[in-house]
Amino acid sequence: MARFVYRMQSVLNIKEKTEGQVKMEFASAQSELNKQLDILEEYIRRKEDYLTEAEELRNAESLKLQDILDNQYATAQMDVMIAHQSKVVAKQQDVVEKIRIRLTRAIQERKMQETLRDRAYAEYLEEEKQEEFKETDQRTSFTYTQRQRDENS
């Protein structure tokens, strides 16, 4: 019995390799997005701390004007930093989405090649089955012919 050889195996190998590379890119981009989200959450937490501190400064028995002004400045700076970091997060989300689309496409292409390989293998098995049937038929026919000759002689 001959061995099955998929003639487009090299294409399938390339599709699998491409998918692997895009998966690595996706993981890296997702990791960067998580890092940027953590930074944004830290900025938001720090702003909340400044707001809590501002409340305490305003409710203190003696008002310290410089501390209140410094706190207001720090809160305003955190607003700027949060706005900037939100933009960074949005850009990174776009990058992740683009790579996710590429990954989806790469997976579809690989699966399509695997389907083609499976079909080719099914055809190969059918051809082998037909070839085996032919051989069996020829053997049977040959044996029958030999018996007929032996009986007639």
Side-chain angles (χ1 to χ4, degrees), residues 1 128-148:
M1 184 178 215
E128 286 295 313
K129 186 176 164 184
Q130 292 296 326
E131 196 63 38
E132 191 176 313
F133 180 73
K134 270 186 189 176
E135 285 180 28
T136 304
D137 194 37
Q138 287 175 352
R139 282 190 195 127
T140 306
S141 196
F142 179 74
T143 306
Y144 178 76
T145 305
Q146 284 294 0
R147 282 188 190 154
Q148 290 295 332

Side-chain angles (χ1 to χ4, degrees), residues 30-46:
Q30 188 65 46
S31 173
E32 181 63 24
L33 175 60
N34 291 340
K35 178 180 160 189
Q36 296 303 325
L37 284 169
D38 289 344
I39 292 170
L40 179 60
E41 288 172 9
E42 174 61 21
Y43 288 168
I44 291 170
R45 187 196 59 74
R46 283 174 52 189

Side-chain angles (χ1 to χ4, degrees), residues 56-65 68:
E56 291 170 3
L57 287 171
R58 288 188 184 94
N59 291 335
E61 290 200 16
S62 63
L63 294 178
K64 298 177 184 167
L65 185 60
I68 292 172

Side-chain angles (χ1 to χ4, degrees), residues 48-111:
E48 289 171 359
D49 289 347
Y50 284 134
L51 292 174
T52 303
E53 181 184 347
E55 187 68 29
E56 291 170 3
L57 287 171
R58 288 188 184 94
N59 291 335
E61 290 200 16
S62 63
L63 294 178
K64 298 177 184 167
L65 185 60
Q66 188 59 45
D67 289 347
I68 292 172
L69 292 175
D70 289 346
N71 181 275
Q72 285 178 340
Y73 177 76
T75 303
Q77 281 302 111
M78 290 312 301
D79 286 337
V80 170
M81 292 170 71
I82 288 171
H84 174 72
Q85 190 62 26
S86 294
K87 290 177 185 174
V88 171
V89 167
K91 283 181 185 177
Q92 190 60 36
Q93 286 173 330
D94 289 343
V95 169
V96 168
E97 183 61 20
K98 287 176 184 173
I99 295 174
R100 187 193 62 75
I101 290 169
R102 283 182 37 220
L103 178 60
T104 302
R105 218 176 277 137
I107 290 170
Q108 287 173 342
E109 289 175 3
R110 177 193 45 86
K111 285 183 178 181

Side-chain angles (χ1 to χ4, degrees), residues 107-121:
I107 290 170
Q108 287 173 342
E109 289 175 3
R110 177 193 45 86
K111 285 183 178 181
M112 182 177 61
Q113 281 298 320
E114 287 177 347
T115 301
L116 291 173
R117 182 194 60 202
D118 292 345
R119 284 183 189 162
Y121 184 66

